[in-house]
Amino acid sequence: IAKSFGNIYQLFSQVLESPAYGEDFSKEYLDNLPIVYEYNPKTLKVIQTFTQEDEERAIKADTWAVVMEDDKKNRLARFFGSKSDFSSYSKGDVFLEFAKYAP
């Protein structure tokens, strides 16, 4: 279990900039987070992230299939189910919400 949480934290720390010690994330910061990220499952390196707008543009332009095709060597994961899922904006709460959807 500890290794799994370590792997999840490795992904989490690449996608988010952590607030200063003792501070929480702002609602505005969380509202602007990517919703999907692509990563290499062997190295756990995040390759790229996609905002809601990126995803909508790709779907409208019918290029999401290309992104999904790349998923054969890398993996796509949803960042959060909904940003309204947060009970608070502390780093711990945001990490646990991230972990719910982590691979």
Side-chain angles (χ1 to χ4, degrees):
I1 293 175
K3 183 176 180 181
S4 295
F5 270 103
N7 290 344
I8 293 167
Y9 188 80
Q10 188 174 347
L11 292 168
F12 176 81
S13 64
Q14 291 177 72
V15 178
L16 281 96
E17 288 184 35
S18 291
Y21 181 77
E23 292 183 15
D24 291 342
F25 289 100
S26 70
K27 181 177 179 341
E28 295 78 27
Y29 178 80
L30 293 174
D31 285 344
N32 292 308
L33 286 176
I35 61 165
V36 174
Y37 59 97
E38 178 183 8
Y39 71 98
N40 180 304
K42 292 180 182 170
T43 64
L44 297 178
K45 181 178 184 315
V46 173
I47 310 298
Q48 65 180 331
T49 60
F50 301 92
T51 63
Q52 180 82 37
E53 294 79 24
D54 294 335
E55 183 181 48
E56 289 170 3
R57 272 194 301 272
I59 290 170
K60 283 181 185 175
D62 201 27
T63 57
W64 198 243
V66 173
V67 173
M68 297 306 284
E69 180 67 26
D70 285 343
D71 189 40
K72 290 182 179 168
K73 58 185 168 215
N74 293 322
R75 297 284 181 261
L76 293 175
R78 186 150 296 275
F79 196 77
F80 297 113
S82 166
K83 295 190 176 97
S84 64
D85 290 343
F86 299 110
S87 57
S88 82
Y89 303 114
S90 72
K91 184 176 181 179
D93 286 339
V94 173
F95 173 72
L96 290 175
E97 190 61 34
F98 179 87
K100 285 183 190 177
Y101 298 92

